């Protein structure tokens, strides 16, 4: 009986990708959202989770959830009339949402055309509410201005009152200090390379004495031929060196693999922020192709993060979990 139930849950991604069906019992199934939500970023505000993603849903979707499992669309960041345009014909990719200061929400985003590695760049928008209205503040920088090829995939980190942006895609991961309002690069600040050319989709997480650099490597967007996976390294310093278990550096493209694809879920990468539930359990959102999904969208996945005796993160057995107990909120 248990085997039959498990098989049914694994195959659930095949059925009716939209509309989303509410998961009301104590178990969730992956993907938790069957619509296309690549490169997610998430935050909680007043008991509600807000998720933003690369704009396969035009103008950057805003998704809402009470529990990380049941998601509904509650708006878009931009409109056609108020859409960023600093890259001609550019798409808006890989946003990163943050609450910075009292009552200010800041969304960093990438703008690029496929292959435009010198003309792509990072912009920023602000709001006083997670669902907006969002005010675009425009370009922060583009690749050829800041000297970092393929300047996409922003990640904000704040420490000791200083604000930093991490970013980059397969040409090195870089960090730079931001201005006090976090809306521009600090005057005189220079980019610092912190990881090698194997990575994109960076996220920095602080736990205990360690900073963890989560990133993605491989081919993101080739459907069932994608090789994307989520990897991690750690450091006792925000700026590295980030290393794997053997002490080998991410600057040399060495890392630990956190989540790889399997037969059912392919291209497991570009994770969002780690969220801790009321039971103290950590959770991670990321995207993957579901083999039985009819339109081959990069759907939204949820997995529990465990920490081993040496304080390294683990997910399942290194592959996605088809189903499990829901987070506690």
């Amino acid at each position: 009986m248990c085997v039959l139930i498990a098989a049914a849950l694994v195959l659930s991604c095949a059925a009716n990708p939209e509309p989303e069906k509410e998961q009301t019992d104590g178990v969730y199934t992956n993907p938790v959202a069957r619509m296309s939500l690549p490169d997610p970023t998430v935050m909680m505000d007043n008991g509600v989770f807000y998720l933003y993603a690369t704009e396969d849903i035009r103008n950057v979707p805003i998704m809402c959830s009470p529990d990380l499992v049941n998601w509904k669309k509650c708006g878009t960041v931009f409109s056609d009339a108020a859409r960023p345009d600093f890259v001609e014909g550019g798409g808006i990719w890989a946003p990163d949402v943050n609450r910075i200061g009292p009552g200010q929400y800041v969304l960093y985003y990438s703008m690029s055309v496929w292959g435009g590695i010198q003309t792509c760049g990072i912009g920023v928008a602000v709001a006083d509410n997670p669902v907006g209205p969002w005010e675009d503040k425009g370009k922060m920088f583009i690749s050829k201005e800041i000297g970092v090829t393929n300047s996409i995939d922003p990640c904000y980190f704040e420490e000791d009152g200083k604000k930093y942006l991490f970013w980059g895609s397969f040409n090195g991961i870089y960090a730079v200090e931001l201005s006090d309002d976090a809306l521009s690069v600090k005057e005189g600040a220079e980019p610092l390379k912190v990881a090698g050319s194997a990575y994109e989709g960076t996220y920095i997480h602080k736990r205990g004495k360690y900073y963890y650099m989560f990133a993605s490597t491989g081919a993101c967007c080739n459907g069932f031929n994608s090789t994307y996976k989520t990897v991690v390294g750690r450091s006792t310093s925000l700026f590295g060196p980030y290393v794997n278990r053997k002490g080998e550096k991410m600057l040399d493209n060495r890392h630990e693999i956190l989540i790889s694809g399997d037969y059912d879920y392919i291209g497991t990468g570009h994770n969002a922020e780690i969220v801790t539930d009321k039971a103290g359990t950590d959770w991670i959102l990321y995207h993957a192709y579901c083999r039985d999904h009819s339109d081959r969208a990069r759907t939204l996945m949820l997995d529990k993060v465990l920490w081993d005796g040496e304080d390294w993160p683990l997910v399942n057995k290194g592959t996605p979990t088809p189903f499990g107990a829901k987070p506690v909120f």
Side-chain angles (χ1 to χ4, degrees), residues 78 83-92 109-112 119-124 136-143 145 151:
F78 302 113
R83 182 181 172 82
D85 60 1
F86 64 83
V87 175
E88 184 177 358
I92 306 171
Y109 59 87
S110 315
M111 195 167 200
S112 183
T119 58
C120 62
I122 292 172
V124 61
D136 183 38
K137 295 294 187 179
K139 178 186 71 173
M140 295 179 70
F141 54 80
I142 61 174
S143 297
E145 293 172 346
S151 281

PDB file of all heavy atoms in Angstrom, residues 78 83-92 109-112 119-124 136-143 145 151:
ATOM      1  N   PHE A  78       6.419  44.472 -12.286  1.00  0.00           N
ATOM      2  CA  PHE A  78       6.354  45.530 -13.281  1.00  0.00           C
ATOM      3  C   PHE A  78       5.102  45.379 -14.142  1.00  0.00           C
ATOM      4  O   PHE A  78       4.394  44.375 -14.068  1.00  0.00           O
ATOM      5  CB  PHE A  78       7.605  45.496 -14.167  1.00  0.00           C
ATOM      6  CG  PHE A  78       8.895  45.626 -13.414  1.00  0.00           C
ATOM      7  CD1 PHE A  78       9.796  44.573 -13.350  1.00  0.00           C
ATOM      8  CD2 PHE A  78       9.215  46.801 -12.753  1.00  0.00           C
ATOM      9  CE1 PHE A  78      10.991  44.683 -12.650  1.00  0.00           C
ATOM     10  CE2 PHE A  78      10.407  46.926 -12.048  1.00  0.00           C
ATOM     11  CZ  PHE A  78      11.295  45.868 -11.995  1.00  0.00           C
ATOM     12  N   ARG A  83       8.046  49.002 -17.357  1.00  0.00           N
ATOM     13  CA  ARG A  83       9.026  47.923 -17.429  1.00  0.00           C
ATOM     14  C   ARG A  83      10.441  48.490 -17.607  1.00  0.00           C
ATOM     15  O   ARG A  83      10.652  49.435 -18.372  1.00  0.00           O
ATOM     16  CB  ARG A  83       8.663  47.041 -18.612  1.00  0.00           C
ATOM     17  CG  ARG A  83       9.537  45.842 -18.837  1.00  0.00           C
ATOM     18  CD  ARG A  83       9.053  45.091 -20.080  1.00  0.00           C
ATOM     19  NE  ARG A  83      10.001  44.046 -20.416  1.00  0.00           N
ATOM     20  CZ  ARG A  83      10.030  42.853 -19.837  1.00  0.00           C
ATOM     21  NH1 ARG A  83       9.139  42.569 -18.906  1.00  0.00           N
ATOM     22  NH2 ARG A  83      10.923  41.957 -20.178  1.00  0.00           N
ATOM     23  N   PRO A  84      11.459  47.927 -16.917  1.00  0.00           N
ATOM     24  CA  PRO A  84      12.839  48.376 -17.157  1.00  0.00           C
ATOM     25  C   PRO A  84      13.225  48.205 -18.620  1.00  0.00           C
ATOM     26  O   PRO A  84      12.779  47.264 -19.288  1.00  0.00           O
ATOM     27  CB  PRO A  84      13.671  47.454 -16.267  1.00  0.00           C
ATOM     28  CG  PRO A  84      12.727  46.940 -15.241  1.00  0.00           C
ATOM     29  CD  PRO A  84      11.390  46.872 -15.899  1.00  0.00           C
ATOM     30  N   ASP A  85      14.089  49.097 -19.098  1.00  0.00           N
ATOM     31  CA  ASP A  85      14.452  49.039 -20.516  1.00  0.00           C
ATOM     32  C   ASP A  85      15.923  49.359 -20.757  1.00  0.00           C
ATOM     33  O   ASP A  85      16.306  49.722 -21.868  1.00  0.00           O
ATOM     34  CB  ASP A  85      13.567  49.989 -21.321  1.00  0.00           C
ATOM     35  CG  ASP A  85      13.702  51.447 -20.881  1.00  0.00           C
ATOM     36  OD1 ASP A  85      14.508  51.725 -19.958  1.00  0.00           O
ATOM     37  OD2 ASP A  85      13.003  52.306 -21.455  1.00  0.00           O
ATOM     38  N   PHE A  86      16.770  49.210 -19.732  1.00  0.00           N
ATOM     39  CA  PHE A  86      18.164  49.610 -19.928  1.00  0.00           C
ATOM     40  C   PHE A  86      18.953  48.600 -20.759  1.00  0.00           C
ATOM     41  O   PHE A  86      20.085  48.882 -21.177  1.00  0.00           O
ATOM     42  CB  PHE A  86      18.873  49.919 -18.601  1.00  0.00           C
ATOM     43  CG  PHE A  86      19.032  48.760 -17.649  1.00  0.00           C
ATOM     44  CD1 PHE A  86      20.080  47.860 -17.777  1.00  0.00           C
ATOM     45  CD2 PHE A  86      18.143  48.584 -16.605  1.00  0.00           C
ATOM     46  CE1 PHE A  86      20.250  46.810 -16.881  1.00  0.00           C
ATOM     47  CE2 PHE A  86      18.297  47.544 -15.701  1.00  0.00           C
ATOM     48  CZ  PHE A  86      19.348  46.652 -15.845  1.00  0.00           C
ATOM     49  N   VAL A  87      18.380  47.417 -21.020  1.00  0.00           N
ATOM     50  CA  VAL A  87      18.937  46.481 -21.995  1.00  0.00           C
ATOM     51  C   VAL A  87      17.879  46.294 -23.074  1.00  0.00           C
ATOM     52  O   VAL A  87      16.791  45.776 -22.797  1.00  0.00           O
ATOM     53  CB  VAL A  87      19.304  45.126 -21.357  1.00  0.00           C
ATOM     54  CG1 VAL A  87      19.767  44.141 -22.434  1.00  0.00           C
ATOM     55  CG2 VAL A  87      20.393  45.312 -20.305  1.00  0.00           C
ATOM     56  N   GLU A  88      18.176  46.711 -24.287  1.00  0.00           N
ATOM     57  CA  GLU A  88      17.180  46.657 -25.358  1.00  0.00           C
ATOM     58  C   GLU A  88      16.714  45.223 -25.598  1.00  0.00           C
ATOM     59  O   GLU A  88      17.529  44.321 -25.821  1.00  0.00           O
ATOM     60  CB  GLU A  88      17.757  47.230 -26.653  1.00  0.00           C
ATOM     61  CG  GLU A  88      16.742  47.301 -27.779  1.00  0.00           C
ATOM     62  CD  GLU A  88      17.313  47.938 -29.032  1.00  0.00           C
ATOM     63  OE1 GLU A  88      18.496  48.365 -29.004  1.00  0.00           O
ATOM     64  OE2 GLU A  88      16.575  48.005 -30.033  1.00  0.00           O
ATOM     65  N   GLY A  89      15.401  45.017 -25.501  1.00  0.00           N
ATOM     66  CA  GLY A  89      14.839  43.697 -25.729  1.00  0.00           C
ATOM     67  C   GLY A  89      15.128  42.710 -24.617  1.00  0.00           C
ATOM     68  O   GLY A  89      14.897  41.505 -24.778  1.00  0.00           O
ATOM     69  N   GLY A  90      15.614  43.177 -23.480  1.00  0.00           N
ATOM     70  CA  GLY A  90      16.059  42.285 -22.419  1.00  0.00           C
ATOM     71  C   GLY A  90      14.929  41.633 -21.638  1.00  0.00           C
ATOM     72  O   GLY A  90      13.861  42.211 -21.458  1.00  0.00           O
ATOM     73  N   GLY A  91      15.200  40.430 -21.173  1.00  0.00           N
ATOM     74  CA  GLY A  91      14.321  39.761 -20.231  1.00  0.00           C
ATOM     75  C   GLY A  91      14.759  40.064 -18.813  1.00  0.00           C
ATOM     76  O   GLY A  91      15.909  40.455 -18.564  1.00  0.00           O
ATOM     77  N   ILE A  92      13.832  39.886 -17.873  1.00  0.00           N
ATOM     78  CA  ILE A  92      14.122  40.147 -16.461  1.00  0.00           C
ATOM     79  C   ILE A  92      14.261  38.802 -15.761  1.00  0.00           C
ATOM     80  O   ILE A  92      13.313  38.026 -15.684  1.00  0.00           O
ATOM     81  CB  ILE A  92      13.006  40.997 -15.824  1.00  0.00           C
ATOM     82  CG1 ILE A  92      12.791  42.272 -16.632  1.00  0.00           C
ATOM     83  CG2 ILE A  92      13.374  41.343 -14.379  1.00  0.00           C
ATOM     84  CD1 ILE A  92      11.576  43.069 -16.220  1.00  0.00           C
ATOM     85  N   TYR A 109      17.434  42.773  -9.716  1.00  0.00           N
ATOM     86  CA  TYR A 109      17.060  41.896 -10.821  1.00  0.00           C
ATOM     87  C   TYR A 109      18.124  41.960 -11.916  1.00  0.00           C
ATOM     88  O   TYR A 109      18.875  42.937 -12.035  1.00  0.00           O
ATOM     89  CB  TYR A 109      15.689  42.285 -11.401  1.00  0.00           C
ATOM     90  CG  TYR A 109      15.608  43.696 -11.934  1.00  0.00           C
ATOM     91  CD1 TYR A 109      15.980  43.998 -13.253  1.00  0.00           C
ATOM     92  CD2 TYR A 109      15.174  44.751 -11.127  1.00  0.00           C
ATOM     93  CE1 TYR A 109      15.921  45.298 -13.747  1.00  0.00           C
ATOM     94  CE2 TYR A 109      15.112  46.058 -11.610  1.00  0.00           C
ATOM     95  CZ  TYR A 109      15.483  46.322 -12.923  1.00  0.00           C
ATOM     96  OH  TYR A 109      15.435  47.610 -13.400  1.00  0.00           O
ATOM     97  N   SER A 110      18.195  40.883 -12.691  1.00  0.00           N
ATOM     98  CA  SER A 110      19.062  40.840 -13.863  1.00  0.00           C
ATOM     99  C   SER A 110      18.254  41.249 -15.083  1.00  0.00           C
ATOM    100  O   SER A 110      17.057  40.957 -15.173  1.00  0.00           O
ATOM    101  CB  SER A 110      19.590  39.420 -14.088  1.00  0.00           C
ATOM    102  OG  SER A 110      20.042  38.824 -12.895  1.00  0.00           O
ATOM    103  N   MET A 111      18.909  41.903 -16.030  1.00  0.00           N
ATOM    104  CA  MET A 111      18.279  42.206 -17.312  1.00  0.00           C
ATOM    105  C   MET A 111      19.251  41.849 -18.412  1.00  0.00           C
ATOM    106  O   MET A 111      20.394  42.317 -18.429  1.00  0.00           O
ATOM    107  CB  MET A 111      17.860  43.671 -17.401  1.00  0.00           C
ATOM    108  CG  MET A 111      16.910  43.911 -18.547  1.00  0.00           C
ATOM    109  SD  MET A 111      16.103  45.515 -18.474  1.00  0.00           S
ATOM    110  CE  MET A 111      14.712  45.162 -19.562  1.00  0.00           C
ATOM    111  N   SER A 112      18.783  40.986 -19.347  1.00  0.00           N
ATOM    112  CA  SER A 112      19.710  40.477 -20.350  1.00  0.00           C
ATOM    113  C   SER A 112      18.950  39.910 -21.536  1.00  0.00           C
ATOM    114  O   SER A 112      17.786  39.545 -21.427  1.00  0.00           O
ATOM    115  CB  SER A 112      20.575  39.373 -19.738  1.00  0.00           C
ATOM    116  OG  SER A 112      21.542  38.899 -20.657  1.00  0.00           O
ATOM    117  N   THR A 119      26.501  43.242 -22.356  1.00  0.00           N
ATOM    118  CA  THR A 119      25.456  44.274 -22.262  1.00  0.00           C
ATOM    119  C   THR A 119      24.450  44.002 -21.162  1.00  0.00           C
ATOM    120  O   THR A 119      23.637  44.873 -20.842  1.00  0.00           O
ATOM    121  CB  THR A 119      24.708  44.394 -23.596  1.00  0.00           C
ATOM    122  OG1 THR A 119      24.144  43.116 -23.936  1.00  0.00           O
ATOM    123  CG2 THR A 119      25.645  44.842 -24.703  1.00  0.00           C
ATOM    124  N   CYS A 120      24.470  42.811 -20.558  1.00  0.00           N
ATOM    125  CA  CYS A 120      23.538  42.512 -19.473  1.00  0.00           C
ATOM    126  C   CYS A 120      23.943  43.259 -18.206  1.00  0.00           C
ATOM    127  O   CYS A 120      25.070  43.748 -18.089  1.00  0.00           O
ATOM    128  CB  CYS A 120      23.491  41.012 -19.200  1.00  0.00           C
ATOM    129  SG  CYS A 120      25.055  40.303 -18.652  1.00  0.00           S
ATOM    130  N   GLY A 121      23.028  43.355 -17.279  1.00  0.00           N
ATOM    131  CA  GLY A 121      23.343  44.059 -16.052  1.00  0.00           C
ATOM    132  C   GLY A 121      22.312  43.836 -14.973  1.00  0.00           C
ATOM    133  O   GLY A 121      21.402  43.018 -15.117  1.00  0.00           O
ATOM    134  N   ILE A 122      22.473  44.582 -13.896  1.00  0.00           N
ATOM    135  CA  ILE A 122      21.627  44.438 -12.714  1.00  0.00           C
ATOM    136  C   ILE A 122      20.957  45.766 -12.415  1.00  0.00           C
ATOM    137  O   ILE A 122      21.602  46.823 -12.401  1.00  0.00           O
ATOM    138  CB  ILE A 122      22.456  43.941 -11.523  1.00  0.00           C
ATOM    139  CG1 ILE A 122      22.910  42.502 -11.799  1.00  0.00           C
ATOM    140  CG2 ILE A 122      21.661  44.030 -10.218  1.00  0.00           C
ATOM    141  CD1 ILE A 122      23.879  41.947 -10.800  1.00  0.00           C
ATOM    142  N   GLY A 123      19.640  45.690 -12.203  1.00  0.00           N
ATOM    143  CA  GLY A 123      18.856  46.849 -11.827  1.00  0.00           C
ATOM    144  C   GLY A 123      18.223  46.651 -10.465  1.00  0.00           C
ATOM    145  O   GLY A 123      18.380  45.606  -9.824  1.00  0.00           O
ATOM    146  N   VAL A 124      17.479  47.672 -10.013  1.00  0.00           N
ATOM    147  CA  VAL A 124      16.909  47.613  -8.672  1.00  0.00           C
ATOM    148  C   VAL A 124      15.572  48.342  -8.660  1.00  0.00           C
ATOM    149  O   VAL A 124      15.380  49.340  -9.354  1.00  0.00           O
ATOM    150  CB  VAL A 124      17.901  48.212  -7.643  1.00  0.00           C
ATOM    151  CG1 VAL A 124      18.205  49.664  -7.928  1.00  0.00           C
ATOM    152  CG2 VAL A 124      17.391  48.025  -6.224  1.00  0.00           C
ATOM    153  N   ASP A 136      10.669  51.219 -10.172  1.00  0.00           N
ATOM    154  CA  ASP A 136      11.962  50.859 -10.743  1.00  0.00           C
ATOM    155  C   ASP A 136      12.947  52.014 -10.595  1.00  0.00           C
ATOM    156  O   ASP A 136      12.656  53.149 -10.964  1.00  0.00           O
ATOM    157  CB  ASP A 136      11.803  50.500 -12.214  1.00  0.00           C
ATOM    158  CG  ASP A 136      13.109  50.036 -12.835  1.00  0.00           C
ATOM    159  OD1 ASP A 136      13.866  49.340 -12.135  1.00  0.00           O
ATOM    160  OD2 ASP A 136      13.367  50.377 -14.006  1.00  0.00           O
ATOM    161  N   LYS A 137      14.103  51.728 -10.022  1.00  0.00           N
ATOM    162  CA  LYS A 137      15.177  52.717  -9.908  1.00  0.00           C
ATOM    163  C   LYS A 137      16.199  52.571 -11.037  1.00  0.00           C
ATOM    164  O   LYS A 137      17.182  53.313 -11.086  1.00  0.00           O
ATOM    165  CB  LYS A 137      15.871  52.567  -8.553  1.00  0.00           C
ATOM    166  CG  LYS A 137      14.979  52.894  -7.360  1.00  0.00           C
ATOM    167  CD  LYS A 137      14.591  54.346  -7.335  1.00  0.00           C
ATOM    168  CE  LYS A 137      13.842  54.712  -6.064  1.00  0.00           C
ATOM    169  NZ  LYS A 137      13.472  56.151  -6.017  1.00  0.00           N
ATOM    170  N   GLY A 138      15.957  51.583 -11.903  1.00  0.00           N
ATOM    171  CA  GLY A 138      16.780  51.449 -13.095  1.00  0.00           C
ATOM    172  C   GLY A 138      18.086  50.718 -12.883  1.00  0.00           C
ATOM    173  O   GLY A 138      18.284  49.989 -11.913  1.00  0.00           O
ATOM    174  N   LYS A 139      18.993  50.957 -13.788  1.00  0.00           N
ATOM    175  CA  LYS A 139      20.264  50.233 -13.846  1.00  0.00           C
ATOM    176  C   LYS A 139      21.176  50.590 -12.682  1.00  0.00           C
ATOM    177  O   LYS A 139      21.370  51.764 -12.361  1.00  0.00           O
ATOM    178  CB  LYS A 139      20.958  50.579 -15.168  1.00  0.00           C
ATOM    179  CG  LYS A 139      22.320  49.949 -15.362  1.00  0.00           C
ATOM    180  CD  LYS A 139      23.000  50.467 -16.620  1.00  0.00           C
ATOM    181  CE  LYS A 139      23.453  51.906 -16.470  1.00  0.00           C
ATOM    182  NZ  LYS A 139      24.259  52.377 -17.609  1.00  0.00           N
ATOM    183  N   MET A 140      21.764  49.563 -12.060  1.00  0.00           N
ATOM    184  CA  MET A 140      22.892  49.763 -11.159  1.00  0.00           C
ATOM    185  C   MET A 140      24.203  49.736 -11.948  1.00  0.00           C
ATOM    186  O   MET A 140      25.057  50.593 -11.773  1.00  0.00           O
ATOM    187  CB  MET A 140      22.904  48.688 -10.067  1.00  0.00           C
ATOM    188  CG  MET A 140      21.707  48.740  -9.128  1.00  0.00           C
ATOM    189  SD  MET A 140      21.775  47.431  -7.879  1.00  0.00           S
ATOM    190  CE  MET A 140      23.132  47.980  -6.848  1.00  0.00           C
ATOM    191  N   PHE A 141      24.358  48.707 -12.805  1.00  0.00           N
ATOM    192  CA  PHE A 141      25.532  48.610 -13.668  1.00  0.00           C
ATOM    193  C   PHE A 141      25.272  47.556 -14.728  1.00  0.00           C
ATOM    194  O   PHE A 141      24.381  46.717 -14.589  1.00  0.00           O
ATOM    195  CB  PHE A 141      26.798  48.269 -12.870  1.00  0.00           C
ATOM    196  CG  PHE A 141      26.695  47.047 -12.008  1.00  0.00           C
ATOM    197  CD1 PHE A 141      26.827  45.771 -12.544  1.00  0.00           C
ATOM    198  CD2 PHE A 141      26.466  47.158 -10.638  1.00  0.00           C
ATOM    199  CE1 PHE A 141      26.734  44.632 -11.744  1.00  0.00           C
ATOM    200  CE2 PHE A 141      26.368  46.027  -9.820  1.00  0.00           C
ATOM    201  CZ  PHE A 141      26.501  44.770 -10.384  1.00  0.00           C
ATOM    202  N   ILE A 142      26.050  47.592 -15.790  1.00  0.00           N
ATOM    203  CA  ILE A 142      26.080  46.518 -16.771  1.00  0.00           C
ATOM    204  C   ILE A 142      27.500  45.971 -16.844  1.00  0.00           C
ATOM    205  O   ILE A 142      28.452  46.573 -16.338  1.00  0.00           O
ATOM    206  CB  ILE A 142      25.574  46.962 -18.156  1.00  0.00           C
ATOM    207  CG1 ILE A 142      26.443  48.083 -18.726  1.00  0.00           C
ATOM    208  CG2 ILE A 142      24.123  47.381 -18.097  1.00  0.00           C
ATOM    209  CD1 ILE A 142      26.066  48.453 -20.159  1.00  0.00           C
ATOM    210  N   SER A 143      27.651  44.833 -17.492  1.00  0.00           N
ATOM    211  CA  SER A 143      28.924  44.103 -17.474  1.00  0.00           C
ATOM    212  C   SER A 143      30.104  44.960 -17.899  1.00  0.00           C
ATOM    213  O   SER A 143      31.139  45.015 -17.216  1.00  0.00           O
ATOM    214  CB  SER A 143      28.828  42.878 -18.388  1.00  0.00           C
ATOM    215  OG  SER A 143      27.865  41.975 -17.936  1.00  0.00           O
ATOM    216  N   GLU A 145      30.527  48.040 -17.942  1.00  0.00           N
ATOM    217  CA  GLU A 145      30.822  49.193 -17.087  1.00  0.00           C
ATOM    218  C   GLU A 145      31.585  48.794 -15.829  1.00  0.00           C
ATOM    219  O   GLU A 145      32.477  49.506 -15.384  1.00  0.00           O
ATOM    220  CB  GLU A 145      29.526  49.893 -16.687  1.00  0.00           C
ATOM    221  CG  GLU A 145      28.785  50.555 -17.824  1.00  0.00           C
ATOM    222  CD  GLU A 145      27.422  51.073 -17.428  1.00  0.00           C
ATOM    223  OE1 GLU A 145      26.928  50.697 -16.325  1.00  0.00           O
ATOM    224  OE2 GLU A 145      26.831  51.838 -18.198  1.00  0.00           O
ATOM    225  N   SER A 151      27.143  39.900 -16.027  1.00  0.00           N
ATOM    226  CA  SER A 151      26.711  40.428 -14.729  1.00  0.00           C
ATOM    227  C   SER A 151      25.204  40.216 -14.537  1.00  0.00           C
ATOM    228  O   SER A 151      24.380  41.087 -14.820  1.00  0.00           O
ATOM    229  CB  SER A 151      27.055  41.921 -14.626  1.00  0.00           C
ATOM    230  OG  SER A 151      28.412  42.107 -14.331  1.00  0.00           O
TER     231      SER A 151
END
